[in-house]
Amino acid sequence: MSEQTATPFDLLGGESGVRSLVDQFYDLMDLEPQYAGIRALHPADLGGSRDKLFWFLCGWLGGPNHYIERFGHPMLRARHLPYAIGIHERDQWMACMLSALADRGVPDDLAQRLGQSFFGTADWMRNRGG
Ligand code: HEM
């Protein structure tokens, strides 16, 4: 595989790298008080949330479409409508993901590129003011 064709999925280390990022993201959300606001929106058991984010990110990052194979079109914004997401929730989600990327040793340039893409999606998920 040449540098030019490597997807973010490849650069993160494929499925095991993406899984490890998702696990770190939810471990931080579960443990760190600054993410308590978005933690409270999630079910008590984060197992299903971990699997869904992992399946989704594999495809979103250019790898296999596990999420679409299971659930069809992600309709991500519609699926987030039951949860009140404003600027605070968006920023908590982003801070948690940036922390997970850093903890997993993702190189700065890749982490910055991914951060921009995550921000676009997280901002699009806002469904209430404030
Ligand atoms: C903006 C802040 C966000 C908040 C507060 C938030 C919160 C949530 C919550 C509470 C759930 C339900 C979890 C469950 O059913 O177990 C969920 C599901 C999900 N979220 Fe987010 N989320 C945010 C942003 C994002 C972003 C940026 C992505 C992708 C890059 C994403 C991807 C997903 C996926 C794939 C699911 C599973 C959807 C399903 O099949 O039901 N979320 N999110």
Side-chain angles (χ1 to χ4, degrees):
M1 181 192 317
S2 75
E3 278 293 314
Q4 282 81 0
T5 58
T7 61
F9 174 80
D10 299 321
L11 296 171
L12 281 173
E15 292 197 354
S16 62
V18 175
R19 183 74 215 196
S20 147
L21 175 67
V22 167
D23 280 336
Q24 182 64 8
F25 172 77
Y26 277 116
D27 285 351
L28 288 170
M29 194 193 290
D30 209 21
L31 288 169
E32 299 293 333
Q34 68 263 42
Y35 310 127
I38 55 171
R39 175 64 185 89
L41 298 175
H42 287 74
D45 180 349
L46 288 171
S49 315
R50 288 174 193 262
D51 284 345
K52 286 176 182 166
L53 187 59
F54 165 65
W55 289 327
F56 175 81
L57 288 184
C58 283
W60 191 76
L61 294 164
N65 281 318
H66 296 309
Y67 184 94
I68 290 174
E69 279 163 17
R70 286 168 175 82
F71 306 112
H73 192 288
M75 300 183 300
L76 219 49
R77 191 167 194 286
R79 289 193 209 264
H80 284 78
L81 286 179
Y83 315 106
I85 300 178
I87 286 175
H88 294 301
E89 290 75 19
R90 176 199 71 189
D91 289 350
Q92 277 185 27
W93 196 101
M94 280 306 302
C96 190
M97 182 53 80
L98 292 177
S99 220
L101 286 163
D103 289 350
R104 282 297 176 253
V106 173
D108 280 351
D109 55 342
L110 178 59
Q112 269 186 24
R113 277 170 51 203
L114 291 175
Q116 283 172 7
S117 302
F118 277 125
F119 183 83
T121 304
D123 193 50
W124 177 56
M125 232 54 79
R126 285 193 293 125
N127 51 35
R128 64 145 197 207

